[in-house]
Amino acid sequence: MFESTLTTIKVVVTMRVNRSAFISRFLCLTISNMPSQLPPDKKRSSPTNPSSTRRSPFERSLLDEVQFVKGVGAGYAVILDKLGIRTVYDLLRYSPRAYEDRTRLKSIRELVPGEPATVLAHIVDVENSATSRKRMIITRVVLKDDSGGHISMIFFQQPSLEKRFQVLKARGVRLFAYGTPKINMFDGFELENPAYEELDEERDLLSSNRIVPVYGLTDGIVQQRLRQIMDNALNFFLSSVDENLPDQIVAGNKLMDRRDAYRNIHFPADFASLNLARRRLVFEEFFLQQIVLARRRVNRGIDRQGKVFIVDRDRLQGDLKQILPFSLTQGQQVAISDIAEDLASGKVMNRMVQGDVGSGKTIVALAAILMAVENGYQTALMAPTEILAEQHSLSLSRLLSPLGIHVGLLKGSSRQKARVSVLEGLAGGELQVVVGTHALIQDTVQFCNLGLVIVDEQHRFGVLQRQALHKKGVSPHILVMTATPIPRTLTMTLYGDLDTSLIKELPPGRKPIKTHWKRGAEVQAVYRSAASLIEQGRQVYIVCSLVEESEKLEAKAATQLAEHIQTEVFPNHRVGLLHGQLSSDLKTEVMKQFAAGVIDILVSTTVIEVGIDVANATVMIIEDADRFGLAQLHQLRGRVGRGEHSSYCILLGDPKSEE
């Protein structure tokens, strides 16, 4: 699948070279033959809808209701509906969750305990027996194969099976039985609740002597029934599956034919065919999503007219030089240029700036704000936490106030007087820039002339939250920023319809963060190293290891850790505490003390994951780091390495694997 994704990305890059020409040439081929990736519910009849009429036997459509597949009917259609299967197309796209290799046919004498295998044998004995106190009925079916070996199939609480197997025994039927054999010291080999199927020379077996699909099920249907239904659908409807990719794409990427792919994803001829089928269907899904996205972008360019910003590049550069004590990196300059082109294009900007922690995304946002203010528009910057919002408000106010630009702060814990002042300033147009949390999307917030929406750490917000802020203005331009690396960012780009600017380099003077993994037994050595850096004037973060949904539990754990650090580890240094249960004013006070150097060591929960910028803090110690996700570790590590001094991130933990 990874190879498929890489190939898809290469195709998408090719598409973007000339998007409009690509659309006009291939859109009809890819979309018109697609019976909707997920046909809308309103277009589907209920499986039990009595008004539904069956098509002529000679008419076949992938949008036929699933009840018309042989073996389904109205009863099983209701059950399949629980799995999201309502049409034939839904059924064919319902891929197995796993596969069992039942091709390894062995004689009973060759069986190895614990190794799954298939045997072919005939029935020699069948009996039901009850355990003590008759709490359980056990059905034992004894099989014998041509090698003379014996094995028992054991079934629990299914007494009716005895009659079925007695009939099969009388007919002299041979069975395929698949399972993991184990040794019973009294009766030899046993298979508990094995899969079994009659040998039938006249039909293709679906559950034996082949690679067998294993589907996700729901109450009322078993694997064998669903396999038979799937086989019936393939036999009758596969001819209705048309190729929906251009020939040159199929040939150029060596893709399996679409019909062969559907056949082999359900009943693969071998594992090589299964891999080719999976690769084809994954490629197709990504490809079609990109086509829809490209069409949406074309439509956006035609239909979504945006505010035209007149950008004076010379004046912008002059303003930036006046307020910034450093030069921009190449990546920042390119990102700012991308934004300037978007804002001047007459189309609504929908751009993401992605860059590592500390790469200077905020400065890019600052440039966008200057362009908006220059054109008489307001800007709203939304951050996921109050700490990050406060940091942005302070830094933007410091940078923009020399230019006479006012920045307001709006958060959930804002005092009433401050809140009213900001709301009046936004509604009256006196306030050009506002920074806030989710409080920005409340109904009471009204803008005079909102022209630019900036969302920081965009992955922390839902689509509806971003849309709610967007609706505060009339087609405002949108800029989102994130430091979270792919694949999350790739996914959000795909579904968020975003153009992307990538900042690869760090500002001059920044040194790479040295990351080390240490076992829990080495914690004292880690603390000693941190102490030596504190003596040199540096500061330290220690992140509490508890990762819980309850902020109260996190706060308790962080409090206990801070007490331990202060009394037993660093009794001669100043230790601060930060967690989500503190009041907003107390959080602000703790951060001010840490930024001012009053606090040497800050013990915190993941509330510092975003928005903390203290250049003198050069050590990040993360307790039990294996409990955190990679993206979260990436963000936490970014709290150091923000100044001229060498910085370190120490991951403490005893994970089960090197990874």
Side-chain angles (χ1 to χ4, degrees):
M1 182 177 294
F2 181 69
E3 179 188 354
S4 306
T5 305
L6 290 179
T7 306
T8 303
I9 292 172
K10 184 167 68 174
V11 172
V12 171
V13 171
T14 304
M15 289 168 51
R16 289 177 178 170
V17 173
N18 191 338
R19 187 175 296 136
S20 298
F22 185 89
I23 298 286
S24 60
R25 187 180 308 161
F26 294 139
L27 195 56
C28 60
L29 290 173
T30 56
I31 301 298
S32 62
N33 290 330
M34 182 177 63
S36 302
Q37 281 292 88
L38 288 175
D41 291 347
K42 63 183 181 180
K43 293 183 179 180
R44 298 168 169 170
S45 302
S46 169
T48 56
N49 187 349
S51 65
S52 300
T53 57
R54 182 159 187 174
R55 288 173 168 269
S56 161
F58 301 104
E59 294 182 63
R60 303 176 186 180
S61 169
L62 297 181
L63 294 183
D64 280 356
E65 294 174 21
V66 74
Q67 66 174 315
F68 298 135
V69 175
K70 183 180 178 182
V72 180
Y76 274 110
V78 174
I79 296 172
L80 292 176
D81 185 63
K82 297 177 183 178
L83 298 174
I85 300 173
R86 300 169 186 171
T87 67
V88 176
Y89 186 61
D90 294 335
L91 182 64
L92 295 184
R93 289 183 57 82
Y94 192 71
S95 298
R97 61 175 176 80
Y99 298 87
E100 292 179 347
D101 185 1
R102 301 187 186 178
T103 61
R104 292 173 290 186
L105 185 63
K106 290 187 175 182
S107 69
I108 294 175
R109 294 188 183 279
E110 295 174 328
L111 295 179
V112 177
E115 290 187 5
T118 301
V119 299
L120 177 62
H122 60 274
I123 302 170
V124 295
D125 192 24
V126 183
E127 67 171 356
N128 277 345
S129 61
T131 59
S132 59
R133 301 181 185 178
K134 297 184 178 180
R135 291 183 177 179
M136 181 178 292
I137 303 297
I138 298 176
T139 303
R140 179 181 298 274
V141 182
V142 181
L143 303 178
K144 180 181 179 181
D145 69 359
D146 294 340
S147 72
H150 291 78
I151 190 169
S152 299
M153 299 193 299
I154 307 298
F155 301 91
F156 303 97
Q157 293 296 72
Q158 300 180 68
S160 62
L161 287 178
E162 182 188 25
K163 291 183 179 179
R164 180 187 303 176
F165 283 113
Q166 289 289 8
V167 171
L168 295 176
K169 176 187 174 184
R171 289 170 46 201
V173 169
R174 289 204 294 172
L175 296 178
F176 284 105
Y178 172 81
T180 302
K182 67 178 185 178
I183 294 291
N184 182 311
M185 60 184 299
F186 299 108
D187 300 302
F189 280 118
E190 286 185 347
L191 295 173
E192 290 188 359
N193 291 312
Y196 64 91
E197 190 172 25
E198 296 179 43
L199 172 63
D200 189 337
E201 303 286 357
E202 297 183 358
R203 67 182 179 89
D204 186 18
L205 299 182
L206 302 178
S207 301
S208 304
N209 202 29
R210 68 179 308 146
I211 298 171
V212 176
V214 180
Y215 297 94
L217 300 176
T218 188
D219 289 341
I221 193 166
V222 296
Q223 291 289 347
Q224 284 182 298
R225 166 66 73 166
L226 186 50
R227 288 176 196 137
Q228 188 60 63
I229 289 172
M230 195 69 71
D231 185 59
N232 292 339
L234 288 167
N235 291 336
F236 192 78
F237 288 93
L238 195 58
S239 60
S240 298
V241 174
D242 296 323
E243 183 56 72
N244 61 351
L245 298 182
D247 292 341
Q248 53 267 55
I249 294 295
V250 174
N253 291 278
K254 299 179 181 179
L255 300 177
M256 177 179 276
D257 176 81
R258 195 175 185 221
R259 293 178 186 176
D260 291 340
Y262 276 114
R263 170 62 74 179
N264 280 281
I265 202 69
H266 293 289
F267 299 104
D270 48 48
F271 281 107
S273 299
L274 172 60
N275 290 333
L276 289 173
R278 182 185 287 119
R279 179 177 181 272
R280 156 66 204 230
L281 295 177
V282 168
F283 184 101
E284 176 185 313
E285 183 171 350
F286 274 109
F287 186 89
L288 294 177
Q289 286 175 331
Q290 289 289 340
I291 287 292
V292 172
L293 178 59
R295 183 173 66 176
R296 191 187 311 158
R297 284 179 170 174
V298 170
N299 290 339
R300 186 186 73 195
I302 297 172
D303 301 329
R304 293 190 60 197
Q305 297 300 314
K307 298 174 173 60
V308 179
F309 284 19
I310 299 174
V311 180
D312 186 333
R313 302 287 184 104
D314 293 335
R315 177 166 181 172
L316 177 62
Q317 290 180 2
D319 288 343
L320 291 174
K321 285 182 179 180
Q322 178 182 342
I323 62 179
L324 297 178
F326 50 79
S327 299
L328 299 178
T329 66
Q330 180 65 26
Q332 288 174 315
Q333 293 177 17
V334 171
I336 292 172
S337 178
D338 290 341
I339 292 169
E341 289 181 9
D342 288 347
L343 296 179
S345 69
K347 302 172 185 176
V348 174
M349 177 177 72
N350 207 13
R351 179 168 295 277
M352 177 174 68
V353 175
Q354 197 274 330
D356 204 350
V357 176
S359 61
K361 297 183 295 297
T362 304
I363 300 303
V364 174
L366 173 69
I369 292 172
L370 289 174
M371 297 180 215
V373 172
E374 181 66 22
N375 284 270
Y377 293 105
Q378 294 171 301
T379 298
L381 191 159
M382 185 165 67
T385 67
E386 291 195 352
I387 289 180
L388 181 53
E390 290 165 1
Q391 290 276 327
H392 278 316
S393 176
L394 289 172
S395 61
L396 289 176
S397 294
R398 175 173 52 83
L399 293 169
L400 293 174
S401 58
L403 300 178
I405 299 174
H406 304 291
V407 179
L409 176 63
L410 192 64
K411 53 186 182 175
S413 61
S414 295
R415 299 183 186 278
Q416 182 64 19
K417 184 177 180 180
R419 178 186 298 274
V420 170
S421 176
V422 171
L423 293 178
E424 290 178 349
L426 291 175
E430 296 85 10
L431 194 59
Q432 298 109 314
V433 182
V434 64
V435 180
T437 58
H438 301 77
L440 289 175
I441 63 177
Q442 294 176 350
D443 292 339
T444 54
V445 180
Q446 301 294 328
F447 291 84
C448 174
N449 193 14
L450 180 63
L452 176 64
V453 169
I454 302 175
V455 180
D456 196 13
E457 296 302 332
Q458 55 91 18
H459 65 284
R460 302 280 288 269
F461 294 98
V463 174
L464 295 180
Q465 291 170 320
R466 294 198 300 270
Q467 288 179 347
L469 182 56
H470 179 263
K471 291 178 180 178
K472 293 291 184 179
V474 179
S475 297
H477 296 288
I478 301 173
L479 178 67
V480 300
M481 303 187 295
T482 185
T484 302
I486 57 175
R488 182 69 185 265
T489 300
L490 177 62
T491 302
M492 293 300 291
T493 301
L494 182 64
Y495 291 101
D497 192 17
L498 301 170
D499 295 312
T500 305
S501 295
L502 181 63
I503 304 177
K504 295 182 179 180
E505 66 270 70
L506 294 176
R510 293 283 178 90
K511 296 182 179 180
I513 303 169
K514 299 177 182 178
T515 305
H516 302 279
W517 164 38
K518 299 293 183 181
R519 295 285 185 181
E522 301 175 84
V523 63
Q524 294 305 321
V526 171
Y527 286 154
R528 286 195 297 271
S529 298
S532 66
L533 289 170
I534 294 174
E535 293 298 327
Q536 298 174 29
R538 308 286 82 78
Q539 292 166 278
V540 177
Y541 296 103
I542 299 180
V543 179
C544 177
S545 61
L546 184 65
V547 182
E548 295 282 351
E549 292 184 3
S550 169
E551 285 194 355
K552 290 184 179 180
L553 290 176
E554 283 190 339
K556 182 179 179 181
T559 302
Q560 293 173 347
L561 179 61
E563 292 174 354
H564 168 71
I565 295 296
Q566 180 68 87
T567 58
E568 300 181 33
V569 183
F570 295 107
N572 299 321
H573 295 288
R574 296 157 296 185
V575 178
L577 174 64
L578 192 66
H579 57 72
Q581 291 293 292
L582 296 177
S583 67
S584 179
D585 289 343
L586 190 51
K587 288 179 189 175
T588 301
E589 181 59 29
V590 170
M591 283 312 306
K592 284 182 178 179
Q593 291 182 5
F594 189 60
V598 176
I599 294 174
D600 300 311
I601 302 155
L602 182 61
V603 177
S604 175
T605 62
T606 56
V607 70
I608 65 163
E609 181 182 342
V610 294
I612 307 300
D613 189 358
V614 179
N616 193 51
T618 60
V619 182
M620 167 71 66
I621 300 173
I622 304 177
E623 304 262 353
D624 293 325
D626 50 303
R627 297 186 183 183
F628 296 88
L630 286 176
Q632 204 166 28
L633 290 175
H634 184 81
Q635 289 281 5
L636 288 168
R637 185 180 66 168
R639 297 310 103 206
V640 296
R642 308 182 77 85
E644 59 181 348
H645 305 291
S646 296
S647 295
Y648 307 88
C649 179
I650 311 300
L651 307 177
L652 284 171
D654 296 289
K656 296 179 181 179
S657 68
E658 290 284 330
E659 293 180 3

